[in-house]
């Protein structure tokens, strides 16, 4: 897809997300072998708790606007979804995610830790997490400098 068309798409996606008090996480346009079609994948969120109704409303608003873009393929699949687990969590969002399960990718060995965020200490640049190791509850303080990435986690 031509960059100028992709810029028009991005402008519409950002503008309408802002109008609906949503956050545009990312978007991409690609060919899917599985779908045998071009796909415009759009990831949005609303305070890490987007609803299906919000996704549906956003889709209804952007779909006709995207249809009006000259040069955008007439046959593509519009896939609007939540930012979900792919969304990287920023430090400034941690205080709003207390008592949520998060997945932490650690610098020391690249391993991941699924744990509940108990507290966030901005001044000490650290978090307190709770997780289970071999059936035993373990609570640990982790310095944020020791973490590569943080994503939403899902307890199995």
């Amino acid at each position: 897809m031509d960059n100028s068309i992709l810029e028009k798409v991005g402008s519409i996606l950002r503008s309408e997300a802002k109008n609906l008090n949503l956050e545009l996480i990312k978007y991409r346009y690609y060919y899917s072998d599985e779908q045998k079609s071009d796909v415009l994948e759009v990831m949005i969120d609303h305070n890490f708790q987007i609803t299906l109704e919000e996704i549906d409303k956003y889709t209804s608003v952007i779909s006709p606007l995207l249809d009006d873009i000259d040069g955008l393929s007439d046959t593509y699949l519009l896939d609007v979804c939540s930012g979900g687990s792919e969304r990287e969590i920023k430090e400034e969002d941690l205080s709003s995610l207390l008592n949520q399960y998060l997945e932490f990718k650690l610098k020391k060995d690249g391993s991941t830790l699924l744990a509940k965020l108990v507290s966030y200490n901005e001044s000490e640049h650290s978090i307190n997490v709770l997780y289970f190791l071999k059936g035993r509850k373990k609570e640990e303080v982790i310095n944020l400098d020791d973490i590569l990435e943080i994503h939403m986690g899902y307890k199995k």
Side-chain angles (χ1 to χ4, degrees):
M1 172 185 289
D2 183 272
N3 276 344
S4 65
I5 295 170
L6 198 55
E7 286 173 17
K8 288 178 188 175
V9 168
S11 178
I12 288 170
L13 297 176
R14 279 187 292 280
S15 174
E16 296 309 317
K18 185 177 180 182
N19 289 343
L20 294 172
N21 198 28
L22 301 172
E23 181 182 357
L24 177 64
I25 305 301
K26 75 177 189 177
Y27 64 95
R28 66 185 180 131
Y29 191 86
Y30 64 97
Y31 182 79
S32 168
D33 289 328
E34 182 180 319
Q35 300 291 335
K36 306 263 188 273
S37 173
D38 290 329
V39 176
L40 175 58
E41 180 182 63
V42 182
M43 294 183 185
I44 57 174
D45 208 346
H46 182 221
N47 298 326
F48 298 96
Q49 298 179 11
I50 193 157
T51 65
L52 205 47
E53 290 79 20
E54 289 171 312
I55 291 172
D56 187 47
K57 184 172 183 175
Y58 181 74
T59 303
S60 298
V61 169
I62 65 167
S63 185
L65 298 173
L66 294 172
D67 289 344
D68 290 341
I69 296 177
D70 288 331
L72 186 60
S73 171
D74 288 337
T75 55
Y76 68 92
L77 174 67
L78 177 59
D79 180 16
V80 180
C81 56
S82 82
S85 60
E86 289 189 30
R87 178 180 183 181
E88 188 167 344
I89 295 170
K90 302 175 188 122
E91 181 177 346
E92 57 266 22
D93 295 324
L94 289 173
S95 59
S96 66
L97 294 169
L98 296 177
N99 295 313
Q100 297 291 321
Y101 278 90
L102 303 177
E103 188 174 271
F104 304 93
K105 185 171 183 179
L106 305 175
K107 281 184 182 177
K108 66 180 174 185
D109 58 5
S111 65
T112 58
L113 172 66
L114 177 64
K116 183 187 279 190
L117 180 62
V118 176
S119 64
Y120 163 58
N121 188 324
E122 185 177 0
S123 62
E124 293 185 17
H125 198 62
S126 66
I127 55 173
N128 187 6
V129 297
L130 177 68
Y131 61 97
F132 290 88
L133 183 63
K134 297 182 181 178
R136 292 183 174 209
K137 190 187 306 189
K138 187 164 179 160
E139 198 162 337
E140 185 174 341
V141 175
I142 303 174
N143 188 302
L144 291 173
D145 292 330
D146 296 332
I147 298 173
L148 282 172
E149 297 176 350
I150 304 172
H151 294 273
M152 292 301 291
Y154 302 98
K155 189 175 179 186
K156 297 171 180 149

